[in-house]
């Protein structure tokens, strides 16, 4: 029995749907923008949008300016004191 794989266009559409969901989560405050920007950047190549797209570049800038901040999934590896020093 073979496993059906999505077509390329189905894959791109699914990745774009992830992007939409992610952006909605950032706008509603469910996800911090620096967390969301990292995730958006990880989807960049899968959504087939030009590298110089101004909307995507905004997320690249956010990620670049906040890449020193630990993402939520690795904060447990940081000391509480170090995390506290990063709080605004």
């Amino acid at each position: 029995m073979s496993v059906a794989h999505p077509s390329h266009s189905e894959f791109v559409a699914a990745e774009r749907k992830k992007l939409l969901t992610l952006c909605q989560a950032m706008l509603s405050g469910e996800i911090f923008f620096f967390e969301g920007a990292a995730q958006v950047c990880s989807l960049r190549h899968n959504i087939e949008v030009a590298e110089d797209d101004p909307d995507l570049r905004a997320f690249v800038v956010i990620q670049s300016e906040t890449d020193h901040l630990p993402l939520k999934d690795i904060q447990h590896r940081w000391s509480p004191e170090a995390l506290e020093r990063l709080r605004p």
Side-chain angles (χ1 to χ4, degrees):
M1 184 168 123
S2 66
V3 176
H5 294 286
S7 70
H8 179 72
S9 60
E10 291 170 331
F11 171 76
V12 172
E15 292 296 287
R16 287 179 177 185
K17 187 171 181 169
K18 285 181 195 176
L19 176 63
L20 176 62
T21 301
L22 183 58
C23 289
Q24 289 171 332
M26 285 187 282
L27 289 172
S28 71
E30 294 173 52
I31 298 175
F32 290 118
F33 272 83
F34 87 93
E35 291 269 350
Q39 293 178 44
V40 167
C41 288
S42 73
L43 293 173
R44 277 179 28 208
H45 301 290
N46 297 341
I47 60 172
E48 296 188 348
V49 174
E51 287 289 319
D52 62 347
D53 180 89
D55 296 319
L56 282 181
R57 279 196 322 229
F59 290 105
V60 172
V61 170
I62 292 169
Q63 183 190 28
S64 175
E65 294 296 318
T66 61
D67 63 359
H68 65 286
L69 300 172
L71 299 175
K72 192 177 214 175
D73 61 345
I74 64 164
Q75 287 182 6
H76 68 278
R77 298 180 190 157
W78 284 58
S79 73
E81 296 81 19
L83 291 172
E84 190 59 38
R85 283 192 302 270
L86 294 174
R87 293 197 190 282

